[in-house]
Amino acid sequence: MRIRFKDTAEEKEGFDMKIIKLIALNTLIGLFAAACNQQQPPQATNPNPYPDNGNTALAEASPYDEEGDYWAKENFDLQRVGNVIRRSKTPEEFERYLNEPGGINNLDLNGDGYVDYISVDEYQDRDDYSRGLSLYTSYGPDQRQELGNVVFYRDDLNYPGARVLVTGNNQIYGDNYHYETNWLDQAISIASLLFSPRQTYYRSPYYYNNYPSGYTAYEVVDRPIYVSRIEQLYPQPMLVYSASPAYLERIRIKSPNNGLHLGWLKARMVKPTKEQADFWKNNQRKWEHVRANKPGKAELPPGQAKKMDGGDKSERGNPEKTNNAGNPGKDHGKSQKSDQGGQGNGGGKGHQDKGQGQGQGKGQGKGKGKP
């Protein structure tokens, strides 16, 4: 009996040592894993130029990356507005280039499948150092949605050029969305004109269904096609993104369209008003636009091969007529919509007239159906 008791004690002592070793081993493994985690460098994060600071209820109703959503901010590239500014001599010419088929505009706020016409107004508010241009879409004389602004700022009046600041409307792009560059020491044609003494300032006479002579509405394309197009057209953007430009606080002038917006827009926005958010939730739909393999497409986007020059400059406010490389009235692979509005404009309520021109026409009212 003593021998059996001794064997049992020795077995118990060996079992206890095994338990201690296992506990020690697990402790070492845990310490090693913790040390490895502490040595890992933190992951870098890239600043998001499109902060998700929109209407919370709207974001919950439909996530940002939901397939098929048409975002207004993704279809008018503010960064490449700088390239268009650089090639423009006047606000009228700037407006015409913004609306070139195959250009930087793929915006369709009212959801009819056709690109909205972008109008330009020159600021009447100005000071010695600042000039501005307002970009907006208009569905009638009293129905405007501002898209953004271009401000030219001179630190000193002796500079030939200007600093250029493009700011997106916060409903469409979100808060503090700016692109800028410094062209103070460069001769910029449009800046020279804007800072020169003049008696009249440019205000676009055009809006939905009241387009310049020769302009025909053209179809919206899918986002990948649009991105490829603008990257081919302007491979090197001339503006850089900035959340808070250093000279922003020096700019005191105000846009003539500041605060103007429409509540019945069908495109998604980053920071919509309550009215816009409610309308979108009740009228959202999936967007199906023109495909890349549509018959009749040119190999290069229209307006890319040549710049548009010349034309009739006699009518104030009428963008110059163009050659075949960029004439909106010529068919370069874009489907032209038939005349639904007849002669005249879409005066009155753009979302109610269903394309029936009833007002005072300035040019032939061909183009889009109801907003």
Side-chain angles (χ1 to χ4, degrees):
M1 293 295 294
R2 291 180 180 176
I3 294 175
R4 181 179 295 177
F5 179 81
K6 182 177 179 181
D7 292 341
T8 302
E10 289 176 352
E11 289 175 0
K12 184 176 184 304
E13 184 179 355
F15 179 80
D16 291 340
M17 289 300 297
K18 290 180 180 180
I19 294 296
I20 293 172
K21 289 180 181 180
L22 287 174
I23 293 173
L25 180 61
N26 289 335
T27 302
L28 289 174
I29 292 173
L31 293 174
F32 179 77
C36 291
N37 289 336
Q38 290 179 355
Q39 293 176 358
Q40 290 180 353
Q43 294 182 351
T45 57
N46 296 323
N48 181 11
Y50 298 118
D52 187 13
N53 55 358
N55 182 284
T56 303
L58 181 59
E60 291 176 352
S62 183
Y64 170 83
D65 59 354
E66 183 173 342
E67 185 178 358
D69 281 353
Y70 176 90
W71 286 79
K73 68 182 180 184
E74 295 180 342
N75 288 278
F76 181 46
D77 192 308
L78 288 183
Q79 188 174 23
R80 286 172 172 81
V81 167
N83 299 70
V84 182
I85 292 170
R86 185 71 186 196
R87 62 184 286 211
S88 303
K89 298 179 179 64
T90 66
E92 296 97 321
E93 190 173 62
F94 177 52
E95 180 178 299
R96 175 164 60 83
Y97 288 149
L98 288 176
N99 292 289
E100 286 182 299
I104 69 170
N105 182 13
N106 192 49
L107 196 63
D108 182 14
L109 297 181
N110 66 344
D112 66 355
Y114 287 82
V115 175
D116 293 336
Y117 187 88
I118 297 179
S119 302
V120 175
D121 279 357
E122 186 177 352
Y123 285 25
Q124 295 185 10
D125 184 17
R126 56 186 57 204
D127 56 33
D128 290 340
Y129 300 95
S130 306
R131 299 290 188 272
L133 299 173
S134 171
L135 314 183
Y136 62 97
T137 55
S138 179
Y139 297 93
D142 300 320
Q143 299 184 69
R144 293 186 177 187
Q145 171 67 53
E146 191 165 49
L147 308 174
N149 297 277
V150 182
V151 173
F152 301 82
Y153 181 83
R154 285 179 172 175
D155 300 66
D156 188 289
L157 298 181
N158 294 321
Y159 281 112
R163 298 179 186 271
V164 177
L165 177 67
V166 178
T167 300
N169 179 279
N170 66 346
Q171 294 163 6
I172 295 174
Y173 296 93
D175 290 331
N176 303 317
Y177 193 84
H178 312 280
Y179 279 108
E180 63 174 333
T181 192
N182 185 349
W183 288 334
L184 280 169
D185 59 349
Q186 303 178 37
I188 308 300
S189 298
I190 193 170
S192 299
L193 175 69
L194 293 176
F195 279 96
S196 66
R198 287 171 297 131
Q199 296 297 321
T200 59
Y201 308 136
Y202 178 72
R203 302 198 70 179
S204 177
Y206 305 116
Y207 48 87
Y208 170 83
N209 220 24
N210 178 40
Y211 303 131
S213 176
Y215 176 86
T216 302
Y218 52 98
E219 292 178 297
V220 176
V221 298
D222 286 336
R223 165 77 176 163
I225 303 173
Y226 172 65
V227 171
S228 176
R229 185 174 82 194
I230 59 176
E231 288 178 349
Q232 291 180 43
L233 190 61
Y234 297 118
Q236 299 296 328
M238 293 184 174
L239 304 181
V240 295
Y241 172 75
S242 174
S244 55
Y247 60 99
L248 182 62
E249 61 184 16
R250 305 180 214 165
I251 298 174
R252 307 293 184 185
I253 59 177
K254 299 295 183 182
S255 163
N257 299 305
N258 183 43
L260 297 184
H261 64 276
L262 299 172
W264 47 266
L265 302 180
K266 294 183 179 179
R268 288 208 62 181
M269 299 186 177
V270 174
K271 193 176 181 180
T273 64
K274 185 180 185 305
E275 183 184 10
Q276 290 170 335
D278 290 342
F279 181 88
W280 186 88
K281 284 191 293 185
N282 295 326
N283 295 274
Q284 59 180 296
R285 65 181 180 86
K286 299 304 177 186
W287 294 62
E288 296 179 0
H289 296 307
V290 181
R291 302 294 172 183
N293 60 353
K294 183 171 182 177
K297 287 284 181 184
E299 293 183 1
L300 293 177
Q304 177 177 341
K306 298 180 181 179
K307 293 183 179 180
M308 302 184 296
D309 297 307
D312 182 7
K313 304 180 182 179
S314 60
E315 181 183 352
R316 180 182 179 276
N318 188 353
E320 304 169 54
K321 295 180 181 179
T322 62
N323 57 27
N324 290 346
N327 189 344
K330 299 293 183 181
D331 183 3
H332 291 280
K334 292 287 190 302
S335 173
Q336 298 185 4
K337 190 169 184 178
S338 62
D339 184 358
Q340 295 184 359
Q343 298 288 335
N345 63 33
K349 300 297 183 181
H351 60 295
Q352 297 173 349
D353 63 10
K354 300 184 179 180
Q356 300 299 321
Q358 301 293 338
Q360 296 177 353
K362 293 184 182 179
Q364 191 170 5
K366 288 186 177 181
K368 304 167 78 170
K370 74 173 183 176

